[in-house]
Amino acid sequence: MKKKYCYESDKDLEPADALILGSLALFIIAFIKRDAIETKVFFTLLAISLVLFICWIIYLNLQGSFTADDKAVTFGKFSKKRIEYSSIKSIDICRSTKTRRKNHKKYAKLVEWITFHCEDGDHRFAGVLVPERECSSPGSEMSMFKGDWSVSPFWQLKRYIEEQMKL
């Protein structure tokens, strides 16, 4: 079983935010201090800023993926995380909404989390089920997202792993 999903970070400050902030900071510092620093240093700061900006673009366009075989599941985006079925104690799946405000409007997206409780600790992965959209009325954002989510990639993965663990 091999699937791609829209990766979602479970951290408040995502790596993409850090990359763009670092890129912008170096760019601003280079131009403010350009008279006080050597030309080589100026162009080095600009080059580093450009590289961070390119990394940000690449990061935004990468999708998460998982591959499950008969012995383990491997999650990946930048690096790979392999989880052996023999080490899994239980698997939990939950959904929640992530909201943000922009220009006096509220936006929400539906995120699904899969947590593997293993012998070496918990491993948690998140994927966007429904992309961000504007909330039309106040109240529960979850009511915006109606549907049969038992066909989501994480639910399919959970069923597949449980079948493999029974064998």
Side-chain angles (χ1 to χ4, degrees):
M1 168 183 241
K2 187 174 189 170
K3 297 263 186 186
K4 289 188 175 188
Y5 64 94
C6 292
Y7 173 81
E8 178 70 22
S9 176
D10 60 350
K11 297 171 178 61
D12 290 335
L13 181 67
E14 293 189 31
D17 298 335
L19 286 172
I20 193 67
L21 290 175
S23 173
L24 228 102
L26 285 176
F27 187 79
I28 291 170
I29 289 170
F31 273 97
I32 289 175
K33 297 289 187 179
R34 75 173 170 241
D35 294 333
I37 58 178
E38 292 183 32
T39 307
K40 287 181 184 179
V41 175
F42 174 73
F43 284 113
T44 302
L45 288 175
L46 286 181
I48 293 171
S49 175
L50 181 64
V51 167
L52 288 176
F53 183 74
I54 291 170
C55 288
W56 175 69
I57 298 278
I58 292 169
Y59 183 84
L60 289 179
N61 291 315
L62 284 179
Q63 281 196 323
S65 65
F66 60 81
T67 305
D69 57 24
D70 57 343
K71 300 213 184 284
V73 62
T74 304
F75 281 85
K77 183 169 177 167
F78 284 120
S79 61
K80 304 280 185 196
K81 176 64 181 167
R82 184 174 167 88
I83 303 171
E84 299 285 332
Y85 298 152
S86 59
S87 72
I88 297 174
K89 295 178 186 174
S90 65
I91 304 170
D92 292 330
I93 294 181
C94 66
R95 283 182 296 283
S96 65
T97 57
K98 278 194 162 184
T99 59
R100 70 178 181 91
R101 292 184 109 22
K102 182 180 178 185
N103 298 334
H104 304 291
K105 293 180 182 177
K106 191 174 184 180
Y107 296 88
K109 62 184 167 184
L110 185 62
V111 178
E112 186 172 53
W113 309 86
I114 186 165
T115 306
F116 296 93
H117 303 284
C118 301
E119 295 167 354
D120 64 342
D122 293 348
H123 305 285
R124 189 174 183 189
F125 304 94
V128 177
L129 273 179
V130 180
E132 190 173 79
R133 56 170 87 150
E134 186 179 343
C135 298
S136 56
S137 62
S140 174
E141 291 81 20
M142 204 66 157
S143 64
M144 288 175 44
F145 308 110
K146 294 183 175 113
D148 180 18
W149 305 117
S150 63
V151 295
S152 74
F154 288 158
W155 274 103
Q156 291 175 5
L157 176 65
K158 180 180 178 183
R159 280 193 296 273
Y160 179 81
I161 291 173
E162 287 171 345
E163 288 173 11
Q164 294 299 318
M165 290 172 69
K166 289 178 185 174
L167 298 178

